[in-house]
């Protein structure tokens, strides 16, 4: 892209990937859809790559081993970077429990010169288990499932995310506004 093309691009044409990581029922998807609505209302091109939908379509057949989780995260990261490189704001509410998997996605974005923000939705497991949006914590407690991230499978919280949202201490709208402010600060909103 030439300098003339870059200077003529509007803010709505500036893509970025925003990866929202956190425990199951932390509020990642809810925050992503709240922010997506605000961005769309301002004319931005936005896609939400929801982890559950991706698992159903793009990563069907993968299990929840460390290797399969890594593969899933890399697939999502590839699609996110491709969209972001083409001017889309990509919101990715995906657990991505391992730091090395998230780092690989960040490096892919950096190598391509694509904006990438990591957001830790830092809701404590005690709050997540009460919310239990999908009933996973109840199933794990009843012995029906194992390998639940943050309970009997590891979750490596980001050490220095671009933003840490304490979703259990504020409304969804406040969380989305905090994330919107970060995007604005970084020239992506």
């Amino acid at each position: 892209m030439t300098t003339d093309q870059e200077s003529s691009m509007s803010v709505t044409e500036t893509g970025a990937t925003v990866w929202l990581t956190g425990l199951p029922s932390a509020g990642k998807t809810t925050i992503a859809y709240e922010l997506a609505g605000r961005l769309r209302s301002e004319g931005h091109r936005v896609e939400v790559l929801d982890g559950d939908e991706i698992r159903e379509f793009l990563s069907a057949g993968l299990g929840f081993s460390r290797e399969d989780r890594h593969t899933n995260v890399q697939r999502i990261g590839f699609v996110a970077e491709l969209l972001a490189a083409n001017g889309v704001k990509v919101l990715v509410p995906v657990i991505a429990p391992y730091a090395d998997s998230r780092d690989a996605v960040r490096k892919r974005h950096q190598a391509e010169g694509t904006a990438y923000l990591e957001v830790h939705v830092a809701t404590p497991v005690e709050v997540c288990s009460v919310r239990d949006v999908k009933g996973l914590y109840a199933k794990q407690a009843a012995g029906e499932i194992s390998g639940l991230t943050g309970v009997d499978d590891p979750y490596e919280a980001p050490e220095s995310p671009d933003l840490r949202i304490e979703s259990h201490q504020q409304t969804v709208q406040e969380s989305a506004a905090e994330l919107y402010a970060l995007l604005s600060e970084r020239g992506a909103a």
Side-chain angles (χ1 to χ4, degrees), residues 80-97:
E81 194 284 322
L82 187 64
L83 289 167
N86 285 283
V88 178
K89 309 286 188 290
V90 186
L91 308 178
V92 186
V94 174
I95 295 169

Side-chain angles (χ1 to χ4, degrees), residues 93-113:
V94 174
I95 295 169
Y98 300 109
D100 61 343
S101 295
R102 295 189 308 266
D103 288 344
V105 171
R106 180 185 294 275
K107 286 177 182 163
R108 168 183 289 283
H109 281 71
Q110 288 172 338
E112 298 298 326

Side-chain angles (χ1 to χ4, degrees), residues 18-29 49-52 54-55 64 69-70 72-74 76 91-103 105 116 118-122 128 134 136-137 147-151 153-158:
V18 180
W19 199 289
L20 294 94
T21 179
L23 296 174
S25 297
K28 301 175 300 296
T29 303
L49 299 182
D50 180 87
D52 293 333
I54 296 291
R55 276 213 170 261
F64 292 90
R69 289 177 192 248
H70 180 77
N72 184 49
V73 168
Q74 297 317 298
I76 298 167
L91 308 178
V92 186
V94 174
I95 295 169
Y98 300 109
D100 61 343
S101 295
R102 295 189 308 266
D103 288 344
V105 171
Y116 177 87
E118 183 178 69
V119 177
H120 181 207
V121 182
C128 294
K134 299 172 197 159
L136 297 174
Y137 292 93
L148 181 59
T149 302
V151 178
D153 213 48
Y155 176 73
E156 299 169 356

Side-chain angles (χ1 to χ4, degrees), residues 8-167:
S8 70
M9 287 180 74
S10 73
V11 129
T12 59
E13 294 171 326
T14 303
T17 294
V18 180
W19 199 289
L20 294 94
T21 179
L23 296 174
S25 297
K28 301 175 300 296
T29 303
T30 305
I31 294 166
Y33 279 108
E34 180 72 22
L35 179 61
R38 179 173 180 179
L39 291 169
R40 284 187 184 114
S41 74
E42 294 178 357
H44 297 273
R45 294 176 14 198
V46 181
E47 289 295 333
V48 177
L49 299 182
D50 180 87
D52 293 333
E53 292 175 2
I54 296 291
R55 276 213 170 261
E56 183 178 348
F57 299 105
L58 185 62
S59 294
L62 289 179
F64 292 90
S65 67
R66 182 178 174 96
E67 182 178 318
D68 282 356
R69 289 177 192 248
H70 180 77
T71 299
N72 184 49
V73 168
Q74 297 317 298
R75 287 178 182 175
I76 298 167
F78 174 81
V79 173
E81 194 284 322
L82 187 64
L83 289 167
N86 285 283
V88 178
K89 309 286 188 290
V90 186
L91 308 178
V92 186
V94 174
I95 295 169
Y98 300 109
D100 61 343
S101 295
R102 295 189 308 266
D103 288 344
V105 171
R106 180 185 294 275
K107 286 177 182 163
R108 168 183 289 283
H109 281 71
Q110 288 172 338
E112 298 298 326
T114 306
Y116 177 87
L117 300 170
E118 183 178 69
V119 177
H120 181 207
V121 182
T123 309
V125 69
E126 299 79 22
V127 175
C128 294
S129 66
V130 170
R131 289 180 180 170
D132 204 9
V133 178
K134 299 172 197 159
L136 297 174
Y137 292 93
K139 287 179 182 176
Q140 191 278 335
E144 296 172 24
I145 63 169
S146 62
L148 181 59
T149 302
V151 178
D152 61 352
D153 213 48
Y155 176 73
E156 299 169 356
E159 291 182 18
S160 23
D162 296 285
L163 177 64
R164 189 174 316 278
I165 293 176
E166 307 281 343
S167 73

